[in-house]
Amino acid sequence: MNNFQTVLCEKHDSVGIVKLNRPNALNALNMTLLHELMDALEAFDADPEIGAMVITGNERAFAAGADIREMAEASAIEMFQRDMVGQFDRLRHIRKPLIAAVSGWCLGGGCELAMSCDMIIASETARFGQPEITLGVIPGAGGTQRLTRAVGKALAMEMILNNRTLTAQEALQHGLVNHVVPTQEVLPAAIKLASEIAARSPLAVLLAKEAINFADESFLSNGLLHERRSFYFLFATEDQKEGMRAFLEKRTPHWQGK
Ligand code: CO8
C-alpha cells in the first residue's frame, strides 16, 4: 500500500482514504493509477478495521478523465488488450461503501469514477462533465448508463452530445451529488459521512449497498426478491438482535459484525 506512485493511502480510524496523486496531469487516469487505485480499494475492502472508503483528488481536480496522452495513438486492438475499462469493473466488487470527495474538474473517466462510487460530496468548485465527444469518442466506463440514470435522459443527452458541464449546485439539483460544501470542507465532510456509516451495523450496510445497486441492474421483481432475501438473512445475525433489543431498551447498540 505504501509503494504506490500515483495514489496516496491513509487510514482515518475506520475510514480508508485514497487520494489520486497526479497533480501535474489533473489526476488523469493512466493505467498505473487505475491499477493502484483498485489495489488500494481492495486492500481497504479486505481490512477488518475499515468500514467505509473515501476517494478524493486535490482542489483543482478530482480527475480530468482518462489519460489522453496514453491513449491518443492506441489502436482499437491495443485498447482492447489494455482493457483500461476492465479496471473499473473491480470497483463493482468493492463491498464496503465508497464516497467520492470531489473538488474542481470531474470529467470523462473522472466523472465515471465518481459516479461509480456510492455517494458524492462536492465542493462549490466542482465541475462535472463528459467531454469525450470533443475528442471524437464517447464515454467508455459507464458514463452513458450511470449519468442517464442519475440525471435523466434529457440532461444526459446534452452533457454527452454537447459537452454541457454541470456546476456543483446543478449537480445537486439534478441528483448527481449528495451534498455541496465549501472547498476546505469537502474531505472532512466525506470522512464524517463515511465514519458515520462505518459505525453502523456492518453486515446490514454491506447488504443494503448490494441491494441498492441491484435496483439499477435488474427488473423490479428481481430487485425486490434480492432485497427480501437479504432482509430475512439479517435475522440470522447477532447484530439484528442487538439492534432491536437496544432500541427497546433505549440504549446505543454495540455492533459486532456477527
Ligand atoms: N489526460 C492527460 N493529460 C491531461 C488531461 C487528460 N485527461 N487533462 C489535463 N491534462 C494535463 C494537460 O495536458 C496539462 O499538462 P501539461 O501541463 O503537461 O500541458 C495539465 O494536465 C494541466 O491541464 P491544462 O493546462 O489543460 O489545464 P486548464 O486549467 O487549462 O484546463 C481542463 C483544464 C479544462 C480540465 C483541460 O485540462 C481539459 O480539457 N482536459 C481534458 C478533459 C477531457 O477531455 N477528459 C476526457 C478524457 S477521455 C475519457 O475520460 C474517456 C473515458 C473512458 C474510460 C475511462 C477509463 C479510465
Side-chain angles (χ1 to χ4, degrees):
M1 280 260 253
N2 296 325
N3 296 328
F4 294 140
Q5 301 163 34
T6 59
V7 299
L8 301 171
C9 299
E10 194 188 313
K11 277 192 193 180
H12 190 284
D13 299 325
S14 55
V15 178
I17 304 167
V18 185
K19 184 177 184 308
L20 310 182
N21 191 33
R22 297 189 69 215
N24 295 336
L26 301 185
N27 289 335
L29 308 169
N30 64 7
M31 288 304 292
T32 305
L33 187 149
L34 285 170
H35 278 282
E36 291 185 346
L37 170 63
M38 301 308 159
D39 287 351
L41 294 174
E42 285 169 1
F44 280 140
D45 207 33
D47 183 341
E49 287 178 4
I50 295 297
M53 289 158 260
V54 172
I55 305 178
T56 194
N58 55 52
E59 218 172 283
R60 199 167 159 217
F62 177 74
D67 192 315
I68 299 169
R69 201 160 275 127
E70 198 176 65
M71 62 187 171
E73 302 304 326
S75 68
I77 291 169
E78 279 162 354
M79 288 300 282
F80 178 71
Q81 284 171 333
R82 262 181 225 173
D83 198 19
M84 172 169 64
V85 185
Q87 290 305 311
F88 262 72
D89 287 340
R90 293 170 65 187
L91 268 180
R92 295 172 54 213
H93 300 289
I94 300 288
R95 301 177 84 192
K96 293 172 186 169
L98 272 173
I99 298 174
V102 175
S103 272
W105 297 110
C106 185
L107 301 175
C111 190
E112 291 171 308
L113 174 61
M115 290 192 294
S116 297
C117 294
D118 302 310
M119 283 165 274
I120 303 177
I121 307 288
S123 88
E124 288 159 343
T125 62
R127 290 289 178 280
F128 297 86
Q130 298 286 165
E132 288 87 346
I133 200 85
T134 67
L135 301 167
V137 292
I138 66 169
T144 57
Q145 306 302 301
R146 292 200 177 88
L147 189 64
T148 307
R149 282 171 167 79
V151 305
K153 178 178 162 182
L155 186 55
M157 284 281 183
E158 202 180 336
M159 291 176 71
I160 294 172
L161 272 54
N162 201 28
N163 192 23
R164 154 115 188 249
T165 56
L166 297 186
T167 63
Q169 280 304 333
E170 286 173 325
L172 181 67
Q173 191 189 327
H174 293 286
L176 184 61
V177 309
N178 293 71
H179 302 284
V180 178
V181 298
T183 304
Q184 277 69 23
E185 285 168 34
V186 70
L187 185 56
I191 293 172
K192 180 167 179 285
L193 180 59
S195 305
E196 286 170 4
I197 294 169
R200 296 198 180 275
S201 168
L203 297 172
V205 165
L206 296 189
L207 288 167
K209 165 171 167 161
E210 191 180 86
I212 294 167
N213 283 335
F214 219 77
D216 271 349
E217 288 175 11
S218 64
F219 292 113
L220 182 61
S221 53
N222 293 341
L224 291 174
L225 186 61
H226 179 94
E227 179 194 72
R228 191 169 316 166
R229 293 251 161 88
S230 296
F231 175 69
Y232 292 152
F233 169 76
L234 284 166
F235 284 75
T237 66
E238 290 178 25
D239 282 351
Q240 174 271 326
K241 297 287 172 292
E242 166 66 6
M244 294 196 179
R245 281 176 195 148
F247 174 80
L248 295 172
E249 291 163 13
K250 300 188 189 303
R251 60 176 174 81
T252 307
H254 176 62
W255 306 121
Q256 296 189 75
K258 291 203 280 188

mmCIF file of all heavy atoms in Angstrom, residues 127-161:
data_model
loop_
_atom_site.group_PDB
_atom_site.id
_atom_site.type_symbol
_atom_site.label_atom_id
_atom_site.label_comp_id
_atom_site.label_asym_id
_atom_site.label_seq_id
_atom_site.Cartn_x
_atom_site.Cartn_y
_atom_site.Cartn_z
ATOM 1 N N ARG A 127 -16.797 20.665 -11.000
ATOM 2 C CA ARG A 127 -17.426 20.752 -12.335
ATOM 3 C C ARG A 127 -17.502 19.355 -12.916
ATOM 4 O O ARG A 127 -16.475 18.688 -13.038
ATOM 5 C CB ARG A 127 -16.587 21.614 -13.288
ATOM 6 C CG ARG A 127 -16.578 23.089 -12.974
ATOM 7 C CD ARG A 127 -17.921 23.750 -13.288
ATOM 8 N NE ARG A 127 -17.905 25.153 -12.933
ATOM 9 C CZ ARG A 127 -18.066 25.635 -11.707
ATOM 10 N NH1 ARG A 127 -18.246 24.813 -10.689
ATOM 11 N NH2 ARG A 127 -18.030 26.917 -11.461
ATOM 12 N N PHE A 128 -18.706 18.957 -13.284
ATOM 13 C CA PHE A 128 -18.919 17.603 -13.774
ATOM 14 C C PHE A 128 -19.198 17.618 -15.272
ATOM 15 O O PHE A 128 -19.989 18.449 -15.742
ATOM 16 C CB PHE A 128 -20.120 16.972 -13.056
ATOM 17 C CG PHE A 128 -19.901 16.831 -11.564
ATOM 18 C CD1 PHE A 128 -20.196 17.893 -10.710
ATOM 19 C CD2 PHE A 128 -19.383 15.664 -11.027
ATOM 20 C CE1 PHE A 128 -19.985 17.774 -9.340
ATOM 21 C CE2 PHE A 128 -19.172 15.541 -9.665
ATOM 22 C CZ PHE A 128 -19.471 16.593 -8.815
ATOM 23 N N GLY A 129 -18.597 16.714 -15.996
ATOM 24 C CA GLY A 129 -18.884 16.666 -17.424
ATOM 25 C C GLY A 129 -18.353 15.413 -18.079
ATOM 26 O O GLY A 129 -17.536 14.677 -17.511
ATOM 27 N N GLN A 130 -18.866 15.152 -19.280
ATOM 28 C CA GLN A 130 -18.408 14.016 -20.103
ATOM 29 C C GLN A 130 -17.989 14.611 -21.446
ATOM 30 O O GLN A 130 -18.764 14.618 -22.406
ATOM 31 C CB GLN A 130 -19.544 13.003 -20.277
ATOM 32 C CG GLN A 130 -20.053 12.368 -19.006
ATOM 33 C CD GLN A 130 -19.143 11.312 -18.375
ATOM 34 O OE1 GLN A 130 -19.319 10.948 -17.235
ATOM 35 N NE2 GLN A 130 -18.160 10.828 -19.108
ATOM 36 N N PRO A 131 -16.738 15.122 -21.528
ATOM 37 C CA PRO A 131 -16.324 15.830 -22.751
ATOM 38 C C PRO A 131 -15.792 14.933 -23.870
ATOM 39 O O PRO A 131 -15.204 15.444 -24.832
ATOM 40 C CB PRO A 131 -15.203 16.740 -22.231
ATOM 41 C CG PRO A 131 -14.643 16.030 -21.053
ATOM 42 C CD PRO A 131 -15.724 15.161 -20.481
ATOM 43 N N GLU A 132 -15.995 13.618 -23.773
ATOM 44 C CA GLU A 132 -15.407 12.703 -24.756
ATOM 45 C C GLU A 132 -15.751 13.084 -26.187
ATOM 46 O O GLU A 132 -14.969 12.877 -27.111
ATOM 47 C CB GLU A 132 -15.871 11.258 -24.483
ATOM 48 C CG GLU A 132 -15.247 10.623 -23.244
ATOM 49 C CD GLU A 132 -15.985 10.899 -21.953
ATOM 50 O OE1 GLU A 132 -16.849 11.806 -21.926
ATOM 51 O OE2 GLU A 132 -15.702 10.217 -20.960
ATOM 52 N N ILE A 133 -16.951 13.651 -26.398
ATOM 53 C CA ILE A 133 -17.401 13.998 -27.753
ATOM 54 C C ILE A 133 -16.428 14.983 -28.407
ATOM 55 O O ILE A 133 -16.233 14.967 -29.620
ATOM 56 C CB ILE A 133 -18.848 14.572 -27.714
ATOM 57 C CG1 ILE A 133 -19.520 14.487 -29.068
ATOM 58 C CG2 ILE A 133 -18.903 16.010 -27.207
ATOM 59 C CD1 ILE A 133 -20.179 13.189 -29.364
ATOM 60 N N THR A 134 -15.766 15.806 -27.568
ATOM 61 C CA THR A 134 -14.811 16.783 -28.109
ATOM 62 C C THR A 134 -13.526 16.108 -28.583
ATOM 63 O O THR A 134 -12.712 16.730 -29.260
ATOM 64 C CB THR A 134 -14.443 17.858 -27.063
ATOM 65 O OG1 THR A 134 -13.709 17.215 -26.008
ATOM 66 C CG2 THR A 134 -15.668 18.534 -26.493
ATOM 67 N N LEU A 135 -13.344 14.845 -28.188
ATOM 68 C CA LEU A 135 -12.147 14.088 -28.590
ATOM 69 C C LEU A 135 -12.485 13.065 -29.672
ATOM 70 O O LEU A 135 -11.657 12.233 -30.033
ATOM 71 C CB LEU A 135 -11.570 13.352 -27.371
ATOM 72 C CG LEU A 135 -11.152 14.210 -26.178
ATOM 73 C CD1 LEU A 135 -10.921 13.334 -24.954
ATOM 74 C CD2 LEU A 135 -9.892 15.007 -26.507
ATOM 75 N N GLY A 136 -13.736 13.074 -30.121
ATOM 76 C CA GLY A 136 -14.145 12.119 -31.160
ATOM 77 C C GLY A 136 -14.468 10.743 -30.615
ATOM 78 O O GLY A 136 -14.472 9.763 -31.363
ATOM 79 N N VAL A 137 -14.714 10.636 -29.316
ATOM 80 C CA VAL A 137 -15.119 9.348 -28.741
ATOM 81 C C VAL A 137 -16.351 9.555 -27.852
ATOM 82 O O VAL A 137 -16.935 10.657 -27.826
ATOM 83 C CB VAL A 137 -13.964 8.672 -27.944
ATOM 84 C CG1 VAL A 137 -12.849 8.224 -28.872
ATOM 85 C CG2 VAL A 137 -13.426 9.589 -26.849
ATOM 86 N N ILE A 138 -16.745 8.509 -27.160
ATOM 87 C CA ILE A 138 -17.861 8.616 -26.210
ATOM 88 C C ILE A 138 -17.381 8.073 -24.861
ATOM 89 O O ILE A 138 -16.325 7.448 -24.789
ATOM 90 C CB ILE A 138 -19.119 7.848 -26.697
ATOM 91 C CG1 ILE A 138 -18.874 6.328 -26.734
ATOM 92 C CG2 ILE A 138 -19.569 8.351 -28.075
ATOM 93 C CD1 ILE A 138 -20.154 5.510 -26.940
ATOM 94 N N PRO A 139 -18.142 8.280 -23.804
ATOM 95 C CA PRO A 139 -17.739 7.700 -22.517
ATOM 96 C C PRO A 139 -17.598 6.186 -22.653
ATOM 97 O O PRO A 139 -18.353 5.553 -23.404
ATOM 98 C CB PRO A 139 -18.898 8.051 -21.576
ATOM 99 C CG PRO A 139 -19.534 9.258 -22.200
ATOM 100 C CD PRO A 139 -19.386 9.059 -23.685
ATOM 101 N N GLY A 140 -16.631 5.602 -21.922
ATOM 102 C CA GLY A 140 -16.389 4.167 -22.071
ATOM 103 C C GLY A 140 -16.488 3.390 -20.771
ATOM 104 O O GLY A 140 -16.484 2.171 -20.780
ATOM 105 N N ALA A 141 -16.552 4.116 -19.650
ATOM 106 C CA ALA A 141 -16.570 3.421 -18.355
ATOM 107 C C ALA A 141 -17.912 3.644 -17.650
ATOM 108 O O ALA A 141 -17.962 3.953 -16.455
ATOM 109 C CB ALA A 141 -15.403 3.872 -17.484
ATOM 110 N N GLY A 142 -18.973 3.542 -18.419
ATOM 111 C CA GLY A 142 -20.306 3.570 -17.811
ATOM 112 C C GLY A 142 -21.010 4.919 -17.837
ATOM 113 O O GLY A 142 -22.142 5.037 -17.365
ATOM 114 N N GLY A 143 -20.375 5.955 -18.393
ATOM 115 C CA GLY A 143 -20.959 7.300 -18.355
ATOM 116 C C GLY A 143 -22.340 7.393 -18.991
ATOM 117 O O GLY A 143 -23.237 8.030 -18.449
ATOM 118 N N THR A 144 -22.504 6.750 -20.147
ATOM 119 C CA THR A 144 -23.809 6.878 -20.818
ATOM 120 C C THR A 144 -24.910 6.228 -19.964
ATOM 121 O O THR A 144 -26.051 6.684 -19.981
ATOM 122 C CB THR A 144 -23.806 6.202 -22.211
ATOM 123 O OG1 THR A 144 -23.441 4.826 -22.051
ATOM 124 C CG2 THR A 144 -22.831 6.876 -23.170
ATOM 125 N N GLN A 145 -24.535 5.211 -19.217
ATOM 126 C CA GLN A 145 -25.534 4.488 -18.428
ATOM 127 C C GLN A 145 -25.769 5.165 -17.071
ATOM 128 O O GLN A 145 -26.907 5.426 -16.671
ATOM 129 C CB GLN A 145 -25.075 3.039 -18.207
ATOM 130 C CG GLN A 145 -24.732 2.323 -19.502
ATOM 131 C CD GLN A 145 -25.896 2.294 -20.479
ATOM 132 O OE1 GLN A 145 -26.954 1.764 -20.153
ATOM 133 N NE2 GLN A 145 -25.708 2.859 -21.660
ATOM 134 N N ARG A 146 -24.673 5.425 -16.349
ATOM 135 C CA ARG A 146 -24.839 5.940 -14.977
ATOM 136 C C ARG A 146 -25.318 7.390 -14.966
ATOM 137 O O ARG A 146 -26.123 7.769 -14.126
ATOM 138 C CB ARG A 146 -23.539 5.807 -14.185
ATOM 139 C CG ARG A 146 -23.184 4.371 -13.899
ATOM 140 C CD ARG A 146 -22.209 4.207 -12.734
ATOM 141 N NE ARG A 146 -21.993 2.784 -12.503
ATOM 142 C CZ ARG A 146 -21.051 2.063 -13.120
ATOM 143 N NH1 ARG A 146 -20.218 2.642 -13.953
ATOM 144 N NH2 ARG A 146 -20.937 0.770 -12.870
ATOM 145 N N LEU A 147 -24.814 8.202 -15.899
ATOM 146 C CA LEU A 147 -25.256 9.602 -15.921
ATOM 147 C C LEU A 147 -26.745 9.677 -16.259
ATOM 148 O O LEU A 147 -27.493 10.455 -15.662
ATOM 149 C CB LEU A 147 -24.433 10.394 -16.942
ATOM 150 C CG LEU A 147 -24.635 11.905 -16.907
ATOM 151 C CD1 LEU A 147 -24.174 12.486 -15.575
ATOM 152 C CD2 LEU A 147 -23.876 12.588 -18.045
ATOM 153 N N THR A 148 -27.179 8.856 -17.201
ATOM 154 C CA THR A 148 -28.587 8.853 -17.592
ATOM 155 C C THR A 148 -29.467 8.448 -16.412
ATOM 156 O O THR A 148 -30.508 9.067 -16.151
ATOM 157 C CB THR A 148 -28.808 7.901 -18.779
ATOM 158 O OG1 THR A 148 -27.879 8.266 -19.799
ATOM 159 C CG2 THR A 148 -30.216 7.993 -19.328
ATOM 160 N N ARG A 149 -29.024 7.429 -15.689
ATOM 161 C CA ARG A 149 -29.803 7.017 -14.507
ATOM 162 C C ARG A 149 -29.811 8.129 -13.453
ATOM 163 O O ARG A 149 -30.800 8.329 -12.759
ATOM 164 C CB ARG A 149 -29.210 5.752 -13.896
ATOM 165 C CG ARG A 149 -29.566 4.489 -14.661
ATOM 166 C CD ARG A 149 -28.756 3.326 -14.100
ATOM 167 N NE ARG A 149 -29.220 2.023 -14.539
ATOM 168 C CZ ARG A 149 -28.961 1.471 -15.709
ATOM 169 N NH1 ARG A 149 -28.253 2.131 -16.610
ATOM 170 N NH2 ARG A 149 -29.422 0.274 -16.014
ATOM 171 N N ALA A 150 -28.687 8.849 -13.311
ATOM 172 C CA ALA A 150 -28.578 9.854 -12.247
ATOM 173 C C ALA A 150 -29.349 11.134 -12.567
ATOM 174 O O ALA A 150 -30.087 11.634 -11.731
ATOM 175 C CB ALA A 150 -27.106 10.176 -11.982
ATOM 176 N N VAL A 151 -29.181 11.656 -13.785
ATOM 177 C CA VAL A 151 -29.741 12.992 -14.062
ATOM 178 C C VAL A 151 -30.903 12.953 -15.052
ATOM 179 O O VAL A 151 -31.515 13.993 -15.315
ATOM 180 C CB VAL A 151 -28.660 13.980 -14.585
ATOM 181 C CG1 VAL A 151 -27.486 14.071 -13.623
ATOM 182 C CG2 VAL A 151 -28.176 13.617 -15.988
ATOM 183 N N GLY A 152 -31.196 11.793 -15.614
ATOM 184 C CA GLY A 152 -32.285 11.689 -16.583
ATOM 185 C C GLY A 152 -31.785 11.843 -18.013
ATOM 186 O O GLY A 152 -30.698 12.370 -18.273
ATOM 187 N N LYS A 153 -32.613 11.395 -18.944
ATOM 188 C CA LYS A 153 -32.200 11.311 -20.345
ATOM 189 C C LYS A 153 -31.906 12.676 -20.972
ATOM 190 O O LYS A 153 -30.898 12.861 -21.656
ATOM 191 C CB LYS A 153 -33.302 10.598 -21.139
ATOM 192 C CG LYS A 153 -33.042 10.488 -22.610
ATOM 193 C CD LYS A 153 -34.159 9.737 -23.307
ATOM 194 C CE LYS A 153 -34.127 10.011 -24.800
ATOM 195 N NZ LYS A 153 -35.210 9.355 -25.511
ATOM 196 N N ALA A 154 -32.763 13.653 -20.719
ATOM 197 C CA ALA A 154 -32.632 14.931 -21.424
ATOM 198 C C ALA A 154 -31.291 15.596 -21.110
ATOM 199 O O ALA A 154 -30.552 16.016 -22.016
ATOM 200 C CB ALA A 154 -33.791 15.850 -21.047
ATOM 201 N N LEU A 155 -30.969 15.677 -19.824
ATOM 202 C CA LEU A 155 -29.723 16.343 -19.444
ATOM 203 C C LEU A 155 -28.512 15.496 -19.832
ATOM 204 O O LEU A 155 -27.480 16.034 -20.274
ATOM 205 C CB LEU A 155 -29.736 16.638 -17.935
ATOM 206 C CG LEU A 155 -28.568 17.459 -17.403
ATOM 207 C CD1 LEU A 155 -28.409 18.778 -18.154
ATOM 208 C CD2 LEU A 155 -28.750 17.733 -15.908
ATOM 209 N N ALA A 156 -28.621 14.175 -19.685
ATOM 210 C CA ALA A 156 -27.501 13.297 -20.071
ATOM 211 C C ALA A 156 -27.194 13.472 -21.562
ATOM 212 O O ALA A 156 -26.032 13.536 -21.966
ATOM 213 C CB ALA A 156 -27.833 11.839 -19.753
ATOM 214 N N MET A 157 -28.226 13.582 -22.364
ATOM 215 C CA MET A 157 -28.028 13.789 -23.807
ATOM 216 C C MET A 157 -27.231 15.075 -24.043
ATOM 217 O O MET A 157 -26.280 15.097 -24.830
ATOM 218 C CB MET A 157 -29.377 13.901 -24.517
ATOM 219 C CG MET A 157 -30.086 12.588 -24.695
ATOM 220 S SD MET A 157 -29.395 11.674 -26.077
ATOM 221 C CE MET A 157 -30.468 10.244 -26.080
ATOM 222 N N GLU A 158 -27.639 16.142 -23.374
ATOM 223 C CA GLU A 158 -26.978 17.429 -23.592
ATOM 224 C C GLU A 158 -25.515 17.374 -23.124
ATOM 225 O O GLU A 158 -24.618 17.911 -23.766
ATOM 226 C CB GLU A 158 -27.747 18.517 -22.833
ATOM 227 C CG GLU A 158 -27.509 19.891 -23.383
ATOM 228 C CD GLU A 158 -28.272 20.957 -22.609
ATOM 229 O OE1 GLU A 158 -29.297 20.638 -21.968
ATOM 230 O OE2 GLU A 158 -27.816 22.114 -22.647
ATOM 231 N N MET A 159 -25.303 16.714 -21.983
ATOM 232 C CA MET A 159 -23.932 16.645 -21.454
ATOM 233 C C MET A 159 -23.033 15.792 -22.351
ATOM 234 O O MET A 159 -21.886 16.157 -22.621
ATOM 235 C CB MET A 159 -23.949 16.065 -20.031
ATOM 236 C CG MET A 159 -24.581 17.004 -19.021
ATOM 237 S SD MET A 159 -24.695 16.260 -17.379
ATOM 238 C CE MET A 159 -22.969 16.227 -16.874
ATOM 239 N N ILE A 160 -23.533 14.672 -22.812
ATOM 240 C CA ILE A 160 -22.677 13.737 -23.552
ATOM 241 C C ILE A 160 -22.592 14.115 -25.032
ATOM 242 O O ILE A 160 -21.540 14.002 -25.658
ATOM 243 C CB ILE A 160 -23.175 12.284 -23.354
ATOM 244 C CG1 ILE A 160 -22.987 11.889 -21.878
ATOM 245 C CG2 ILE A 160 -22.435 11.313 -24.272
ATOM 246 C CD1 ILE A 160 -23.594 10.569 -21.477
ATOM 247 N N LEU A 161 -23.684 14.645 -25.592
ATOM 248 C CA LEU A 161 -23.662 15.003 -27.016
ATOM 249 C C LEU A 161 -23.097 16.397 -27.262
ATOM 250 O O LEU A 161 -22.608 16.702 -28.354
ATOM 251 C CB LEU A 161 -25.076 14.930 -27.611
ATOM 252 C CG LEU A 161 -25.533 13.582 -28.167
ATOM 253 C CD1 LEU A 161 -25.387 12.472 -27.151
ATOM 254 C CD2 LEU A 161 -26.964 13.652 -28.658
#
